[in-house]
Amino acid sequence: MLYASHSAPAAQPVLVLRLTGRNGPACQYTDVLRGQGLSLIECFSFEAANDAIQAGCRVGLLSVTHVADLAHLDKCEPFVSNTRITWVGLVAQELIPLPRMREFIGEHLFNFISIPAQLDHIVLTLRHAWGMAYLRDFKNASSIQPTPLNNDGDFAMVGKTPQMLQLFSQLQKVARTNASVLITGPSGTGKELAALSIHRQSARRNAPFVAVNCGAIAPQLFQSELFGYEKGAFTGANQRKIGRIEAAQGGTLFLDEVGDMPYDMQVNLLRFLQEKTIERVGGNDSLDIDVRVIAATHVDLAEAVAQGRFREDLYYRINVVCIEIPQLADRGQDIEDIAKYYFSKFASMHNRSLRGFSKAAMNAMLSHSWPGNVRELVNRVQRATVMAEGRFIQPEDLGLNRGSADTQLMSLEDARAAAERTMIRRALAQSRNQISRAASLLGVSRVTLYRLIEKYNIRPEVITGAGRSFAGNAGANADMEAHK
């Protein structure tokens, strides 16, 4: 019974994602499907696919016909997991028994068809998928859709890159549960916005969202701020005060910068997380507390645990689900989208005569490293809308100089060398300078990694935490000599 599919337009748009790009083989059923009244939109990049979704595509067709296509599944997985589109797979029969293919089908596809296949079967499946997508959109439109925005609309999570689509999907998944969440990422990436998005999409959305900056509370006030106090509990306690935890009753408690919490205060928080009860300072009654706990930090808590700066039992208590927020410099096109979003907001407040960003200003933003992440970008755009004198924002209005090295393009060779140096240092740091493990992370041989280390003059003392695994590796020079 597929009556729902007949509610869709006659020329149903179907997104055809080409994993191998323009140079790869085309889907063998494209022409005949168009003859059946389906409007196929072939996309060779995620940006083009996003545009197709914005234009109304609700069904996607993914063709996996060769073993080589499996290598592209990891790259497209964050995009395919986007719940706004229903995916149907055309899969070569010999690939279906492969574990990776089965895992991908089970997790991300509405349905799949083994090829070679009957044309009628493909058309029927696509129309069924379109009908289910239509019903889903109808249900969403008739219900309140929580969005990753603050109530007052001051700030928003903006992005359509694969990293952000994956992040939005993760936020939506964890919002359905009451599990504790740890949000990690550099300062300024929007960790509190992510926590607020989880709250707004959860069943607790109508209850309080209480944020606590753990690093901003003086140690001597920490317990009274979190747990509250009774009248007369100490000098100056003239009346009972409700603590932050109790104020979040029924809602969400957001512990920002939990990695900066004083060590001797961590045990108090741990007891609350274990028992779900608190006692106000100066009181004897235990109060049952029903809150969902979300913590955030820019600190590497695993490293803090190893150094004795953070309790291991508290770390595992708050780290049930870990979500990492990507830094702005890794988000490409999102830089332009965020800048335009906040320009439209601030220009209406400060300077209505502004028309947008000049080409030089946009190039300067795309070339900037953004150490302050989204917070820095928002501040620079707001500053520019205040300081700009012409009709278009210039690099100087953003505080970015035209002639600075940061805004100049480098050659591809220099960019490749810089990228290799950065990734080698990261791999060595992550592997604690174990060459074999670092080479495995980078997907190269040990010999190749030794050559690159020598080529870029990456010395042990330059790498954070360098130790015996790298500097003291007696086999390094021997391996190099043997393969020169």
Side-chain angles (χ1 to χ4, degrees):
M1 301 290 288
L2 303 176
Y3 300 130
S5 65
H6 298 296
S7 301
Q12 300 165 351
V14 176
L15 188 160
V16 180
L17 185 61
R18 296 272 293 273
L19 295 179
T20 55
R22 293 182 181 275
N23 297 326
C27 176
Q28 65 190 90
Y29 297 97
T30 300
D31 293 335
V32 288
L33 287 175
R34 285 196 175 101
Q36 294 293 318
L38 297 175
S39 175
L40 301 188
I41 304 175
E42 293 191 86
C43 298
F44 306 96
S45 67
F46 296 127
E47 290 76 12
N50 271 317
D51 292 340
I53 294 174
Q54 296 298 326
C57 267
R58 289 297 176 265
V59 172
L61 184 62
L62 192 66
S63 179
V64 185
T65 56
H66 300 88
V67 176
D69 293 339
L70 297 178
H72 300 281
L73 293 182
D74 290 337
K75 182 174 64 174
C76 75
E77 190 166 17
F79 179 80
V80 173
S81 63
N82 173 19
T83 56
R84 290 181 299 167
I85 193 165
T86 302
W87 289 95
V88 174
L90 288 177
V91 185
Q93 195 165 7
E94 63 271 16
L95 300 181
I96 296 176
L98 300 180
R100 179 64 181 112
M101 192 70 253
R102 289 191 173 192
E103 178 187 9
F104 189 89
I105 291 173
E107 291 186 3
H108 303 297
L109 301 187
F110 164 75
N111 204 343
F112 77 98
I113 303 169
S114 61
I115 51 178
Q118 294 291 331
L119 178 61
D120 290 345
H121 187 191
I122 300 176
V123 173
L124 184 64
T125 303
L126 289 174
R127 292 189 183 277
H128 188 193
W130 218 103
M132 296 301 292
Y134 173 83
L135 291 176
R136 184 188 64 234
D137 286 354
F138 180 80
K139 176 183 176 182
N140 292 341
S142 61
S143 62
I144 298 175
Q145 280 295 307
T147 60
L149 290 171
N150 282 3
N151 272 347
D152 57 7
D154 281 350
F155 300 99
M157 297 183 73
V158 179
K160 59 183 181 182
T161 54
Q163 300 99 307
M164 291 306 292
L165 292 179
Q166 183 180 30
L167 173 63
F168 293 151
S169 176
Q170 290 174 336
L171 296 179
Q172 188 179 52
K173 288 177 182 177
V174 300
R176 305 185 191 125
T177 73
N178 278 318
S180 297
V181 179
L182 177 63
I183 303 175
T184 64
S187 296
T189 50
K191 295 187 288 293
E192 184 169 353
L193 281 177
L196 189 57
S197 176
I198 294 173
H199 173 73
R200 301 263 185 239
Q201 298 180 80
S202 72
R204 299 175 180 267
R205 66 176 69 94
N206 296 320
F209 176 86
V210 178
V212 180
N213 190 329
C214 298
I217 302 176
Q220 61 271 23
L221 300 177
F222 194 86
Q223 192 165 358
S224 60
E225 283 291 325
L226 253 64
F227 301 100
Y229 53 81
E230 298 285 359
K231 180 179 179 180
F234 49 82
T235 303
N238 298 322
Q239 60 182 3
R240 172 188 290 176
K241 179 183 177 181
I242 301 300
R244 305 284 186 89
I245 295 176
E246 192 174 351
Q249 181 72 276
T252 302
L253 178 68
F254 176 54
L255 301 174
D256 196 13
E257 301 303 349
V258 70
D260 296 333
M261 183 186 299
Y263 188 85
D264 53 350
M265 293 294 106
Q266 294 173 18
V267 65
N268 297 320
L269 180 61
L270 177 65
R271 180 173 179 82
F272 154 66
L273 293 175
Q274 290 175 335
E275 306 295 334
K276 296 297 182 182
T277 61
I278 63 167
E279 291 183 7
R280 301 190 190 103
V281 176
N284 297 318
D285 297 331
S286 292
L287 305 175
D288 293 330
I289 301 295
D290 173 29
V291 298
R292 198 256 181 89
V293 176
I294 302 176
T297 182
H298 69 281
V299 175
D300 185 345
L301 289 187
E303 184 66 23
V305 169
Q307 296 176 359
R309 295 185 289 109
F310 199 84
R311 293 181 63 99
E312 184 176 18
D313 44 7
L314 178 58
Y315 171 65
Y316 289 115
R317 179 66 62 173
I318 63 176
N319 189 23
V320 177
V321 179
C322 184
I323 295 178
E324 183 176 2
I325 309 293
Q327 59 183 359
L328 182 58
D330 296 336
R331 291 171 53 186
Q333 180 61 35
D334 284 347
I335 296 173
E336 181 175 349
D337 293 338
I338 295 171
K340 289 180 177 178
Y341 175 87
Y342 283 102
F343 167 81
S344 62
K345 177 178 178 59
F346 295 134
S348 63
M349 296 168 51
H350 304 306
N351 192 341
R352 292 181 179 273
S353 64
L354 282 173
R355 293 293 178 265
F357 297 94
S358 68
K359 185 175 181 180
M362 189 58 69
N363 288 337
M365 287 191 292
L366 293 174
S367 301
H368 188 54
S369 58
W370 299 111
N373 291 290
V374 178
R375 184 185 293 123
E376 179 188 355
L377 176 56
V378 173
N379 288 346
R380 287 185 183 272
V381 171
Q382 186 172 19
R383 162 202 167 125
T385 58
V386 174
M387 301 302 294
E389 297 180 353
R391 297 181 64 191
F392 292 91
I393 291 176
Q394 302 298 327
E396 294 79 9
D397 302 323
L398 294 161
L400 302 174
N401 298 325
R402 296 173 186 263
S404 67
D406 195 34
T407 60
Q408 290 180 343
L409 288 176
M410 62 176 69
S411 66
L412 286 176
E413 183 178 357
D414 291 340
R416 188 182 300 110
E420 287 183 347
R421 277 193 294 267
T422 299
M423 296 311 298
I424 290 171
R425 287 194 173 99
R426 287 184 183 177
L428 289 169
Q430 185 173 339
S431 65
R432 298 183 181 275
N433 300 298
Q434 295 179 7
I435 294 295
S436 296
R437 186 180 173 196
S440 177
L441 290 172
L442 293 169
V444 299
S445 67
R446 293 171 72 248
V447 174
T448 299
L449 180 55
Y450 282 132
R451 287 175 177 166
L452 290 172
I453 290 171
E454 185 179 65
K455 175 182 177 181
Y456 296 124
N457 194 26
I458 300 177
R459 296 170 297 167
E461 59 269 22
V462 173
I463 305 168
T464 304
R468 296 175 58 187
S469 298
F470 180 79
N473 192 333
N477 292 333
D479 283 353
M480 283 296 300
E481 292 300 325
H483 290 86
K484 280 184 177 179

